[in-house]
């Protein structure tokens, strides 16, 4: 074994089915809304899922896409001219990262088009639509009618489950005591869980070793340094 093995970044498949989504008190409401579709309030059957980065919004969006046949749209990529090609004949749409929107008028057109087709819109955002300054009253008033499902900070049990899922997605086997060690010392966020697993996966590959407590300690220290703590 060489001191530092070449890392082959072959990627990994994230499990994004409904049964793979871990439900706890912080995200139960959002999961229940997804399960409830198409029984969403009329006239436009829409929903906004709001929560921090890495909290599972994209996962729930993927689950809903499979159920509804919706088209996925990144808010930052929306333009008025490009909307017909993006939306096509779709009846339903998932709009991700609302805070990154550059052309609010395009989102208004998307909303109106989906409404005319009798479809549904799922908004995924770190900020509630009502708190976003679109500079477009018509869009703000429409989004204000959408129900909001909040996703809050994870508890320790959910963090352990999220870490386990991220490791499993990468086919990395980790003992429960190592996961417990991480949970007791890590930042309480979904994004931190992703960062730590990514760091540990790369360290383990580079050094040709298993993920153990010693490696976990290094990953935690690196994460604190990166965050300036």
């Amino acid at each position: 074994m060489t001191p530092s093995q070449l890392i082959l970044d072959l990627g990994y498949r994230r499990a994004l089915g409904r049964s793979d989504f871990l439900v706890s008190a912080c995200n139960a409401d959002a999961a229940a809304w997804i399960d409830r579709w198409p029984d969403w309030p009329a006239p436009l059957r829409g929903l906004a899922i709001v929560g921090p980065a890495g909290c599972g919004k994209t996962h729930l969006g993927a689950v809903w896409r499979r159920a509804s046949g919706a088209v996925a749209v990144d808010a930052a990529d929306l333009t008025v001219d490009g909307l017909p090609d993006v939306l096509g004949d779709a009846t339903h749409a998932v709009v991700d990262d609302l805070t990154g929107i550059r052309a609010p008028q395009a989102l208004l057109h998307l909303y109106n088009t989906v409404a005319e087709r009798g479809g549904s819109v799922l908004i995924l955002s770190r900020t509630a639509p009502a708190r976003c300054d679109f500079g477009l009253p018509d869009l703000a008033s429409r989004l204000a009618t959408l129900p909001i499902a909040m996703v809050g900070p994870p508890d320790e049990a959910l963090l352990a489950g999220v870490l386990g899922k991220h490791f499993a997605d990468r086919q990395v086997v980790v003992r429960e005591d190592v996961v417990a060690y991480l949970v007791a010392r890590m930042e309480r966020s979904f994004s931190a869980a992703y960062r730590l697993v990514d760091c540990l996966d790369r360290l383990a590959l580079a050094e040709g070793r298993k993920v153990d407590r010693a490696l976990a300690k290094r990953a935690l220290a690196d994460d604190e340094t990166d965050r300036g703590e």
Side-chain angles (χ1 to χ4, degrees):
M1 180 184 69
T2 59
S4 180
Q5 295 180 350
L6 176 65
I7 298 176
L8 299 178
D9 192 0
L10 302 178
Y12 62 98
R13 175 187 175 277
R14 290 190 297 166
L16 294 176
R18 175 62 182 88
S19 61
D20 301 306
F21 187 78
L22 304 175
V23 178
S24 185
C26 68
N27 59 24
D29 185 46
W33 271 100
I34 294 299
D35 291 341
R36 193 180 306 161
W37 186 86
D39 186 23
W40 288 355
L44 176 68
R45 295 188 299 274
L47 173 69
I49 296 180
V50 178
C55 70
K57 299 187 301 292
T58 299
H59 189 150
L60 284 174
V63 171
W64 186 71
R65 280 187 65 199
R66 289 193 180 95
S68 65
V71 62
V73 180
D74 191 317
D77 296 333
L78 269 178
T79 63
V80 174
D81 292 340
L83 182 60
D85 290 334
V86 170
L87 193 56
D89 297 326
T91 304
H92 313 293
V94 180
V95 181
D96 200 1
D97 194 13
L98 189 62
T99 54
I101 192 167
R102 300 173 182 173
Q105 190 69 40
L107 181 56
L108 177 61
H109 287 331
L110 182 148
Y111 185 105
N112 289 338
T113 300
V114 170
E116 290 168 1
R117 295 176 182 179
S120 304
V121 170
L122 175 62
I123 303 289
L124 309 176
S125 180
R126 300 182 190 185
T127 305
R131 299 184 64 183
C132 296
D133 183 11
F134 300 107
L136 197 61
D138 286 346
L139 175 60
S141 64
R142 283 165 173 76
L143 294 181
T145 66
L146 297 180
I148 303 292
M150 300 295 298
V151 180
D155 55 29
E156 290 193 0
L158 182 56
L159 267 183
V162 170
L163 286 169
K165 180 184 180 304
H166 285 325
F167 281 124
D169 286 346
R170 295 167 180 263
Q171 298 183 355
V172 176
V173 178
V174 181
R175 297 195 316 269
E176 290 184 6
D177 66 292
V178 177
V179 172
Y181 180 87
L182 289 167
V183 169
R185 294 162 177 81
M186 66 184 285
E187 172 193 318
R188 293 294 190 269
S189 73
F190 295 99
S191 56
Y194 176 83
R195 292 195 309 268
L196 286 169
V197 171
D198 183 65
C199 177
L200 284 164
D201 187 20
R202 290 180 175 277
L203 285 173
L205 282 171
E207 299 178 15
R209 57 183 290 185
K210 294 181 179 180
V211 175
D212 55 16
R213 291 181 69 164
L215 207 63
K217 183 177 181 180
R218 286 171 52 192
L220 287 164
D222 288 347
D223 192 57
E224 288 182 1
T225 299
D226 290 343
R227 290 186 289 116
E229 293 188 358

